[in-house]
Amino acid sequence: FAPLSLLAPLGGVAVVVNALMTRFGCVCGIKERLSFLEWLATFLVMCGVALVAFSGPGGDTQVVLADLPAQFSQPAFLAFLIPAMVLVCFALFLFPPCRCAEIKLAVRLRPAQGTPTRSALSGFTAATCGAFSVLALKISLFTIIEFAAGRIAYPPPLSILCFLVLATCAPLQLYLLNLSLAAGKATFCIPLYLSLLMLFISFFGGVLFYEFGSLMRDPYPLYLCLYIAGCLLA
């Protein structure tokens, strides 16, 4: 599997596609003018993607199922996981998929429709769910391959948990992203979502799979600096 820290910034391509589609009205009912600064930002994103593709981690990422419990119990990952779970629960409290589950407190706390706060909150939460979906998909696919090859007799408990996370977070991110798009401009919501998704997936790749080690190759620190610059641009 390709490194997560390489794949994540390449999502900047979607930012460029989104900008072009919204500018030229490729999606029915959506056509937004881009300012000079927005065109400049689109060009910089393209440059960032090119830098990441050139300097990012190379080779396949080897997943060892037996090592995953220890990797997932690292303090850095738990420090991200716990606030992320609280954020998702809070977002579902404010924006329940089923209107019959609404309570008065949620209605009072909910940001008004069309406000940047509502768009940013739902977009941030959608990116969080999206990052966990990508992580769960990577581990789930590797588990299926290992099981089909006969190298494991049955999926370990963590892999089963990843199947459940994928089944939950994948549709949830679409629901939250739709809320974000309904509350704000596509040229704001999509880049916000993709930028946060890139950041979170890169974090997972570095913390869980130690993918940043290859950036230390000679001539040091050229590739590290190029990768960081590319991530910032993308």
Side-chain angles (χ1 to χ4, degrees), residues 19-86:
L20 296 177
M21 290 180 67
T22 53
R23 171 62 184 88
F24 296 107
C26 298
V27 178
C28 183
I30 299 178
K31 188 173 183 179
E32 300 172 358
R33 296 185 61 84
L34 298 180
S35 65
F36 170 76
L37 290 179
E38 289 172 327
W39 280 116
L40 178 61
T42 301
F43 173 74
L44 292 177
V45 167
M46 295 175 62
C47 293
V49 170
L51 282 177
V52 168
F54 171 73
S55 62
D60 295 336
T61 302
Q62 183 65 29
V63 178
V64 181
L65 294 179
D67 295 341
L68 287 180
Q71 292 170 260
F72 274 72
S73 61
Q74 295 180 78
F77 178 74
L78 294 177
F80 179 88
L81 174 64
I82 295 172
M85 292 178 62
V86 172

Side-chain angles (χ1 to χ4, degrees), residues 29 43 69 71 79 107 116 138 143 150 155 162 172 176-177 182-183 188 205 211 227:
F43 173 74
Q71 292 170 260
V107 175
K138 180 183 180 75
T143 301
C162 286
L172 188 56
L176 292 166
L177 182 58
F188 168 76
E211 294 174 356
Y227 178 79

